[in-house]
Amino acid sequence: MEQLEIKLKEAGKISRLTNKTFKLDPRIGEGYYSANYFLKSREIVAKFAPGHIVTEQWFQRTEEAMVCGLDESIAVLQQFAIHPEELIVEALNDGDVVAANEPVLKVTGRYEDFGFLESLLDGILARRSSVATNTMRAVRALNGARTFSMADRQDDYLTQPGDGYATYVGGIKAFSTDAQGAWVGVKGMGTMPHALIEVCGGDVLAAADLYLKAYPDAPVTCLIDYHNNVTVDAIALAKHLGRKLKAIRVDTSKSLIDHYFDDKDTSGFDPHGVCKELIFALRKTLDDHGFDYVEIVVSSGFTPEKIAEWVKLGVPVDMYGIGTYLVNNSTCGFTGDLVELDGRPEAKEGRHNIASSRLQRVELLPL
């Protein structure tokens, strides 16, 4: 579908480019992704109670959440609602921080024109806002430290473009795959995985040589925990590559203890996985051997709480890879409720039309 520009006609309305970014499945218009009872309701209303004007609002219950998925929801309304130009749409912006129970989207119009999209919009807003909120929390904890998203491996591959967009909105701009950055025009990044080392029979140096043979002008970032002996392998690799070695990434499993601790007392801390004591030791070892230019990248199980602690303690990390935490989809759950009927309050017990001074009018175009 051609890019749809939302034009300004009245003061206070906002302009958005809806289909420049989002690739929408045409089956949405057939109800393929809608809860079946919404499809039945649309059929019943269209046949026996048409023309009633309803207002529906969407909100969630997490304090200080970053809302995302609004532009995508507007694109869905523009493309698949009946007579979208007759709908009154009010919305916040992707990236706005909202309170619990604050409306982020309101749509007013004939129920049969848009009601069947309710659960679809619930899902879009829940998924995108959860990822954006998780990302916002991680970025705050990073306090300026560099990071990239490794969330491609934490969910179905089809989630990558939308999750990547929400991650970008939340503040992380670097991704593992092209798909994650597709909606915002960012290419994926990365160099050497464990798999290349395995193909080389566990020889980290040989794997690095092959990488440079294929990409002679690309500085190497190498996973260094293959043998669970990061300080020893880091020095061997740094001596072998010299200035061609840009960084090493430590991705030690939480079930393992690095061999650095084999002859050391670990009674005062938990030495499993990527622990701060290992990273301090790794930095000192690199510096003592003259490799202070080699950066340290860490990954595996990083949350905002762990990152905040490490930043506070000055753990010498140059870049964090974050995956699982970002795509936890339970952070923000959205609800769409009908709250007005033909201009008067009408809602289920406990719900009402929540006033908002932040919502901005969005105009959709006739198709």
Side-chain angles (χ1 to χ4, degrees), residues 151-165:
D152 58 290
R153 64 208 69 191
Q154 307 304 331
D155 213 327
D156 185 280
Y157 70 96
L158 293 174
T159 65
Q160 289 187 34
D163 286 353
Y165 170 79

Side-chain angles (χ1 to χ4, degrees), residues 167-183:
T167 302
Y168 189 93
V169 170
I172 292 180
K173 315 295 186 183
F175 308 103
S176 299
T177 72
D178 291 349
Q180 288 173 290
W183 287 4

Side-chain angles (χ1 to χ4, degrees), residues 126-139 142 147-152 154-155 163-164 166-168 170-172 174-175 180 302-304 307 320-331:
R127 180 80 186 193
R128 305 291 177 257
S129 297
S130 289
V131 174
T133 301
N134 296 340
T135 304
M136 173 186 70
R137 292 172 179 174
V139 169
L142 287 161
T147 187
F148 67 103
S149 170
M150 301 173 61
D152 58 290
Q154 307 304 331
D155 213 327
D163 286 353
T167 302
Y168 189 93
I172 292 180
F175 308 103
Q180 288 173 290
F302 279 88
T303 64
I307 293 168
Y320 291 83
I322 310 174
T324 303
Y325 175 79
L326 297 181
V327 292
N328 172 10
N329 198 39
S330 62
T331 304

